[in-house]
């Protein structure tokens, strides 16, 4: 797999060598780690600009506490696009750029870079500190080949955003314990088919590892289309039921935005929710403060992800950003010390996201997040706190380095079904065969 990954790097470098030149020209602080004026300089690569990352405040605080270290913040993109960031990061790695601290928005992309040999294990530093990571962090990235390779930064809990004004008008309470059947009923009552206030009850976005497996995400474990033991999970009935739920709501009940409309109009989940085109969206807790250019003129309520069965625990996916030490860093211990500080004290000082650190005060964090939004009073804090405090993290584990390839194949078949071009049985049969082929080719 490493040879395969190296080939991808080399191909990307051949096609996009000009990007690297431009990227390097844009760096104001230099990009070579080492010692500068008696200080160790660490390159920190990520995709958050100053407004989103509040880096000046964070890094100034760290450098004041650690006068022998300089943190060279390197946002590789200005548009907060993680995919574009990864392309540039991979090019830097393939060209031999000196790396020290790396950030990833999800564990699938992180796992790929571990498999490629880009990231160093951190076990020795954790052991030296005497840490029990399970007691320090929520959504801790699992071990890969027996070792830890990252610490979690931002925590993202899967949940549902609801337009509370729409709920009140329909006489519906904010849900605290509900099922997908309940969700369907809410969508029916929230949908308005005519008039100036025409809207859908809900909107499902396009991400296949979320919106095509909604019912898998409510399980205690085996929440991906490939299990941790590298076996296919396509026979789980929740995979098929997830697609049927979405098809039924979009095509039969017409309470969800049709998939064809989402694709043809290139709809965005923020736009659909904040313009009140849809009353509910399953999403993540980054939406507490990451509103983009929108300022809501209604009250935002929050609810747990619906359950598959009433008696189930409120299982949900809790993951988020992870921060790692680069394998080719010449200052791995210093890099680890920074990521340990950043994922605890630093992320509290940053005041931009919910931390994975268990030592954080949730009320304090939310107050800071809301204070930094354009309209703090738009958030129903009571339902938000309840949803976050009562979420139970499912066991998702570290996905395979080829999981995105599997989701691409699954997505291609699911699209045909959601567009009405293929029945569900054919969809499941084709998707199952394609995913098994991917598993077999990566053994």
């Amino acid at each position: 797999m490493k040879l395969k990954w190296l080939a991808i790097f080399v191909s990307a470098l051949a096609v996009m060598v000009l990007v690297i030149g431009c990227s390097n020209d844009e760096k104001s602080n230099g990009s070579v780690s080492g010692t500068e004026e008696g200080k160790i300089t660490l390159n920190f690569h990520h995709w958050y600009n100053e407004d989103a990352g509040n880096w000046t405040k964070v890094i100034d605080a760290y450098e004041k506490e650690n006068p022998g270290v300089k943190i060279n913040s390197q946002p590789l993109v200005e548009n907060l696009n993680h995919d574009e960031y990864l392309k540039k990061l991979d090019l830097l790695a393939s060209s031999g750029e000196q790396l020290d601290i790396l950030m990833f928005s999800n564990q699938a992309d992180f796992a790929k870079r571990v498999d490629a040999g880009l990231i160093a294990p951190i076990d020795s530093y954790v052991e030296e500190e005497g840490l029990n990571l399970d007691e320090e962090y929520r959504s801790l990235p699992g071990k890969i080949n027996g070792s830890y390779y990252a610490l979690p930064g931002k925590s993202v809990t899967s949940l549902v955003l609801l337009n509370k004004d729409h709920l009140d008008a329909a006489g519906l309470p904010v849900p605290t314990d509900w099922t997908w059947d309940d969700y369907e009923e809410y969508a029916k009552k929230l949908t308005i088919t005519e008039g100036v206030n025409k809207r859908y009850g809900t909107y499902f976005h396009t991400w296949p590892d979320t919106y095509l497996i909604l019912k898998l995400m409510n399980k205690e474990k085996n929440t991906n289309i490939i299990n941790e033991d590298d076996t296919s999970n396509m026979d789980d009935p929740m995979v098929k039921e997830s697609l049927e739920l979405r098809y039924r709501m979009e095509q039969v009940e017409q309470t969800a935005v049709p998939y064809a409309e989402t694709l043809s109009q290139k709809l965005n989940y923020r736009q659909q929710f904040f313009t009140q085109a849809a009353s509910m969206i399953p999403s993540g807790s980054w939406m507490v403060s990451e509103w983009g250019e929108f300022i809501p003129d209604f009250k935002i309520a929050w609810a747990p992800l619906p359950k598959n069965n009433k008696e189930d625990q409120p299982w949900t996916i809790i993951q988020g950003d992870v921060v790692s030490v680069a394998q080719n860093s010449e200052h791995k211990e210093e890099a680890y010390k920074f990521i340990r500080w950043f994922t605890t004290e630093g992320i509290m000082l940053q005041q931009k996201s919910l931390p994975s650190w268990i030592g954080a005060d949730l009320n304090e964090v939310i107050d800071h997040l809301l204070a930094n939004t354009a309209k703090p009073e738009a958030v129903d804090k009571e339902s938000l706190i309840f949803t976050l405090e009562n979420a139970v993290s499912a066991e998702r584990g570290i996905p395979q380095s080829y999981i995105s390839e599997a989701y691409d194949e699954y997505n291609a078949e699911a699209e045909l079904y959601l567009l009405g071009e293929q029945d569900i049985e054919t969809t499941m049969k084709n998707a199952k065969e394609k995913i098994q082929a991917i598993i077999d080719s990566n053994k």
Side-chain angles (χ1 to χ4, degrees):
M1 288 299 293
K2 290 182 181 179
L3 290 176
K4 179 180 178 182
W5 192 249
L6 181 59
I8 295 173
F9 279 160
V10 173
S11 297
L13 181 61
V15 174
M16 298 178 66
V17 65
L18 291 177
V19 176
I20 281 292
C22 295
S23 177
N24 286 337
D25 289 343
E26 292 169 358
K27 295 172 186 174
S28 60
N29 296 322
S31 61
V32 179
S33 67
T35 55
E36 176 184 328
E37 300 177 354
K39 295 183 178 181
I40 291 173
T41 300
L42 301 175
N43 288 324
F44 178 23
H45 290 92
H46 53 84
W47 65 96
Y48 290 111
N49 57 29
E50 175 61 27
D51 182 61
N54 207 6
W55 297 120
T56 299
K57 179 180 181 181
V58 172
I59 290 173
D60 283 352
Y62 186 77
E63 290 179 348
K64 184 176 181 179
E65 291 182 22
N66 300 271
V69 177
K70 174 180 171 61
I71 304 298
N72 186 17
S73 175
Q74 295 284 310
L76 296 183
V77 294
E78 278 297 319
N79 60 358
L80 307 179
N81 188 304
H82 184 257
D83 290 339
E84 290 182 19
Y85 157 74
L86 289 177
K87 291 176 183 178
K88 290 190 175 184
L89 177 65
D90 292 345
L91 286 167
L92 290 178
S94 65
S95 66
E97 181 85 5
Q98 184 64 53
L99 309 173
D100 295 294
I101 303 160
L102 309 173
M103 185 181 283
F104 303 94
S105 73
N106 62 79
Q107 297 192 20
D109 289 322
F110 154 70
K112 281 185 181 180
R113 277 73 192 177
V114 173
D115 187 64
L118 185 62
I119 301 172
I122 59 173
D123 302 88
S124 61
Y125 309 117
V126 172
E127 292 169 4
E128 183 178 348
E129 203 176 345
L131 287 179
N132 182 334
L133 293 181
D134 288 320
E135 296 177 355
E136 285 287 311
Y137 299 99
R138 301 179 185 88
S139 63
L140 178 69
K143 291 184 176 181
I144 300 178
N145 298 324
S147 292
Y148 288 112
Y149 284 85
L151 296 179
K154 177 172 72 175
S155 175
V156 175
T157 299
S158 296
L159 41 66
V160 177
L161 282 74
L162 307 98
N163 185 314
K164 193 172 186 301
D165 292 4
H166 292 177
L167 292 181
D168 292 344
L172 295 170
V174 177
T176 57
D177 185 2
W178 59 341
T179 65
W180 283 110
D181 289 341
D182 297 327
Y183 191 89
E184 281 193 73
E185 291 304 311
Y186 264 60
K188 290 175 184 177
K189 293 176 181 178
L190 291 167
T191 297
I192 297 178
T193 58
E194 298 178 351
V196 294
N197 294 321
K198 180 179 178 180
R199 64 171 184 259
Y200 287 99
T202 191
Y203 170 78
F204 300 121
H205 199 45
T206 57
W207 303 328
D209 61 346
T210 303
Y211 295 98
L212 298 181
I213 59 163
L214 286 168
K215 289 197 168 189
L216 270 188
M217 295 168 63
N218 299 118
K219 299 181 60 182
E220 180 180 2
K221 54 186 178 181
N222 296 333
T223 58
N224 255 316
I225 57 174
I226 300 178
N227 298 318
E228 282 193 83
D229 63 359
D230 298 330
T231 59
S232 172
N233 198 25
M234 291 299 292
D235 284 331
D236 190 311
M238 293 301 106
V239 179
K240 181 180 178 182
E241 288 187 25
S242 294
L243 292 183
E244 290 176 323
L245 169 74
R246 182 163 180 176
Y247 182 90
R248 187 168 59 249
M249 295 183 71
E250 292 178 3
Q251 300 294 337
V252 181
E253 299 163 352
Q254 298 183 355
T255 59
V257 180
Y259 191 67
E261 190 174 320
T262 297
L263 294 181
S264 64
Q265 298 183 27
K266 298 181 180 178
L267 298 180
N268 178 274
Y269 61 96
R270 286 190 178 91
Q271 170 262 333
Q272 286 290 286
F273 184 68
F274 287 117
T275 63
Q276 305 193 64
S279 300
M280 306 186 295
I281 57 167
S283 189
S285 57
W286 70 84
M287 292 286 282
V288 172
S289 59
E290 295 181 27
W291 300 344
E293 72 273 22
F294 299 100
I295 300 176
D297 56 3
F298 58 91
K299 198 81 166 182
I300 306 171
W302 312 78
L305 207 62
K307 301 175 182 179
N308 294 323
N309 304 291
K310 188 71 174 178
E311 64 273 16
D312 293 344
Q313 288 197 62
W315 302 111
T316 193
I317 304 300
I318 304 178
Q319 292 188 338
D321 295 349
V322 299
V323 195
S324 298
V325 176
Q327 182 63 259
N328 77 343
S329 173
E330 297 176 358
H331 305 284
K332 291 184 175 65
E333 182 176 358
E334 289 80 6
Y336 169 79
K337 288 180 179 178
F338 174 77
I339 70 171
R340 175 76 172 120
W341 177 87
F342 173 70
T343 57
T344 53
E345 298 175 48
I347 201 165
M348 291 291 289
L349 187 64
Q350 191 181 36
Q351 296 182 0
K352 289 291 184 178
S353 56
L354 295 165
S356 293
W357 183 39
I358 292 174
D361 183 303
L362 184 59
N363 275 283
E364 177 185 347
V365 170
I366 290 177
D367 284 342
H368 285 151
L369 288 178
L370 298 184
N372 289 324
T373 66
K375 192 175 181 181
E377 65 272 19
V379 172
D380 180 51
K381 183 180 173 183
E382 181 181 355
S383 63
L384 175 60
I385 292 283
F386 175 88
T387 298
L388 294 174
E389 286 186 337
N390 288 276
V392 181
S393 181
E395 298 176 19
R396 200 162 217 199
I398 295 290
Q400 294 78 7
S401 60
Y402 54 86
I403 191 72
S404 59
E405 184 182 355
Y407 271 112
D408 286 344
E409 294 289 358
Y410 176 53
N411 185 69
E413 295 298 326
E415 278 194 354
L416 294 175
Y417 171 63
L418 294 176
L419 293 171
E421 299 175 11
Q422 183 171 269
D423 62 59
I424 188 63
E425 299 304 331
T426 302
T427 298
M428 296 306 298
K429 177 179 178 295
N430 291 348
K432 181 179 176 181
E433 290 175 354
K434 290 181 177 181
I435 289 170
Q436 187 60 54
I438 291 170
I439 294 172
D440 293 341
S441 67
N442 282 276
K443 288 182 178 178

